[in-house]
């Protein structure tokens, strides 16, 4: 190989190295800048993110979060003092209070059977109109439905015939009375006429009462003079004031006199059916007062009275049913609702108590927000026992002297939800 060719090849390899040198240098510069930026990243921001406390959350059977308190008094939630002021947070201390000894159980709301009326038609026929729906409040005498009845039409036509016969015999009696005075007829003939008149009076009165049973009023019967006045529809009236709790009536349906078309229930008073174990029978007596609470309104209590104790014991559960009567203002207690029943036993004991307004429901659990520092709160799972007015016994989770949030806890719940996202 000649010298010229060697020099030519060396020149070409040098040019190739120079072509790759520039892109490599650029890449090295970019990498150096990236390393510098990462090294200069603010550590305080990452520190705050890593140190932010988040309460432990687990799913419950009803898909609601269950909150577990952080151990060691650490804050589960922290907000600024300005935010706390805007939220209008109010606080109270857990106190030691005297609680009456109680016997507790559960029960369910049932209608007062003495104030529940089943509505049956007075005559069989076809329903032409239904005027009420389930849950409607009705007053005594209100028309619930209308029934087309051929029996009513036949009774009215028969009444017109009997009424005409009665008027004829009344006129005949008056005529025979004048004939007796002039000696044209005998007293015996007059008595026979009057006997037939009394029979027609009795038949007329019986038909009149029958049409009253069909729902016609005295005024409507008095207006019945000709066949054009005959009506074939019978109104179904409400026998009492109350709420429609059952409806088995639809237009076009054929109803019999034994069919219960509606149930009208006065819900101003209801029954609580509760079960007590046989070991507690010695403390039960009719007339004893009880306190009734419901998860739907945990801060409100209803007073009731034991009205009946079933003398039979269930052989499986070893319990007996107790019927408790209670007033139901504004129909706050709904039929079928589960309630808690507490029977006062007379004794008293000192217990830690928390205001009911501080207790929040999360699924099947109860929580409170415990203030551990200004703007710092711990989410505490608690178990609630007996009630003392607007306070409740804290069976577990709180001790006397701790400060809890009583107003504004819904705001803290919202903040807690945002912290979990």
């Amino acid at each position: 190989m000649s010298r010229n060719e060697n020099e030519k090849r060396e020149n070409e390899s040098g040019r190739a190295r120079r072509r790759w040198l520039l892109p490599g240098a650029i890449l090295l510069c970019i990498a150096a800048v990236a390393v510098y930026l990462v090294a200069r990243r603010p550590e305080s921001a990452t520190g705050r993110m890593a140190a932010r406390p988040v309460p432990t959350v687990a799913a419950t059977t009803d898909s609601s979060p269950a909150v577990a308190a952080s151990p060691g008094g650490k804050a589960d939630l922290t907000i600024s003092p300005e935010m706390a002021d805007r939220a209008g947070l109010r606080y109270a201390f857990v106190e030691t209070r005297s609680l009456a000894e109680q016997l507790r159980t559960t029960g369910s709301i049932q209608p007062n059977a003495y104030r529940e009326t089943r509505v049956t038609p007075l005559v069989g026929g076809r329903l032409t109109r239904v005027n009420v729906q389930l849950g409607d409040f009705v007053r005594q005498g209100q028309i619930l439905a209308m029934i087309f009845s051929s029996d009513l039409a036949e009774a009215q036509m028969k009444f017109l015939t009997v009424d005409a016969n009665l008027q004829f015999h009344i006129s005949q009696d008056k005529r025979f009375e004048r004939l007796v005075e002039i000696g044209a007829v005998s007293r015996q003939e007059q008595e026979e006429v009057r006997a037939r008149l009394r029979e027609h009076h009795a038949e007329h009165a019986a038909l009149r009462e029958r049409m009253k049973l069909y729902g016609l009023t005295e005024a409507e019967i008095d207006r019945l003079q000709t066949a054009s006045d005959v009506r074939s529809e019978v109104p179904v009236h409400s026998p009492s004031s109350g709420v429609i709790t059952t409806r088995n009536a639809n237009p076009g349906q054929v109803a019999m006199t034994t069919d219960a078309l509606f149930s009208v229930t006065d819900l101003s008073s209801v029954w609580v059916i509760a079960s007590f174990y046989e070991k507690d029978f010695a403390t039960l007596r009719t007339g004893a007062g009880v306190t009734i609470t419901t998860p739907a309104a945990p801060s409100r209590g209803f007073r009731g009275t034991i009205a009946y104790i079933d003398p039979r014991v269930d052989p499986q559960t070893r319990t007996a049913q107790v019927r408790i009567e209670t007033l139901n203002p504004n129909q706050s207690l709904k039929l079928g609702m589960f309630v808690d029943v507490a029977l006062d036993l007379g004794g008293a004991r000192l217990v830690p108590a928390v205001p009911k307004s501080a207790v929040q429901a999360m699924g099947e659990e109860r929580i409170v927000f415990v203030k551990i520092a200004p703007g710092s709160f711990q989410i505490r799972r608690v178990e609630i026992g007996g009630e003392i007015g607007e306070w409740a016994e804290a069976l577990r989770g709180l001790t006397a002297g701790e400060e809890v949030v009583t107003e504004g806890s819904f705001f803290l719940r919202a903040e807690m939800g945002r912290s979990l996202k």
Side-chain angles (χ1 to χ4, degrees), residues 186-214:
S186 64
R187 290 285 183 182
Q188 182 179 357
E189 290 175 316
Q190 183 187 23
E191 290 299 327
E192 291 175 355
V193 170
R194 287 187 172 177
R196 288 193 294 271
L197 176 61
R198 287 192 291 269
E199 291 176 358
H200 284 284
H201 268 299
E203 187 178 8
H204 185 274
L207 278 174
R208 192 178 185 92
E209 292 300 318
R210 182 180 175 186
M211 285 190 292
K212 286 182 183 179
L213 292 176
Y214 286 165

Side-chain angles (χ1 to χ4, degrees), residues 311-381:
R312 298 165 298 181
V313 175
D314 189 312
Q316 302 297 327
T317 62
R318 310 308 303 171
T319 61
Q321 288 190 337
V322 174
R323 189 181 75 218
I324 302 165
E325 293 185 3
T326 180
L327 296 179
N328 186 24
N330 302 321
Q331 298 183 19
S332 300
L333 297 175
K334 308 300 182 183
L335 300 183
M337 178 182 287
F338 287 105
V339 295
D340 295 314
V341 178
L343 172 65
D344 293 336
L345 300 180
R349 54 191 172 89
L350 295 178
V351 297
V354 61
K356 294 180 183 177
S357 57
V359 182
Q360 299 291 322
M362 293 192 69
E364 296 181 353
E365 298 180 339
R366 299 292 181 268
I367 66 165
V368 297
F369 290 91
V370 180
K371 179 183 176 182
I372 59 176
S376 297
F377 306 92
Q378 189 178 58
I379 304 168
R380 193 80 60 78
R381 184 170 59 243

Side-chain angles (χ1 to χ4, degrees), residues 239-281:
S240 60
S241 298
V243 176
I244 301 295
T245 53
T246 302
R247 170 183 153 164
N248 298 314
N250 291 302
Q253 174 183 333
V254 176
M256 308 297 292
T257 55
T258 55
D259 294 338
L261 301 180
F262 307 95
S263 289
V264 180
T265 307
D266 180 4
L267 295 178
S268 62
S269 171
V270 294
W271 286 352
V272 178
I273 306 300
S275 296
F276 286 86
Y277 287 102
E278 57 182 337
K279 64 182 179 63
D280 300 321
F281 291 168

Side-chain angles (χ1 to χ4, degrees), residues 143-199:
I143 297 177
L144 307 180
M146 297 295 292
I147 295 180
F148 175 84
S149 172
S150 58
D151 293 341
L152 174 62
E154 292 175 2
Q156 291 175 94
M157 293 300 297
K158 187 175 181 180
F159 177 79
L160 288 175
T161 302
V162 171
D163 185 67
N165 288 334
L166 176 62
Q167 299 304 322
F168 169 76
H169 282 86
I170 290 175
S171 300
Q172 188 181 38
D173 178 64
K174 292 179 179 179
R175 185 169 62 252
F176 266 67
E177 186 175 353
R178 290 193 298 269
L179 291 175
V180 167
E181 291 176 355
I182 63 177
V185 296
S186 64
R187 290 285 183 182
Q188 182 179 357
E189 290 175 316
Q190 183 187 23
E191 290 299 327
E192 291 175 355
V193 170
R194 287 187 172 177
R196 288 193 294 271
L197 176 61
R198 287 192 291 269
E199 291 176 358

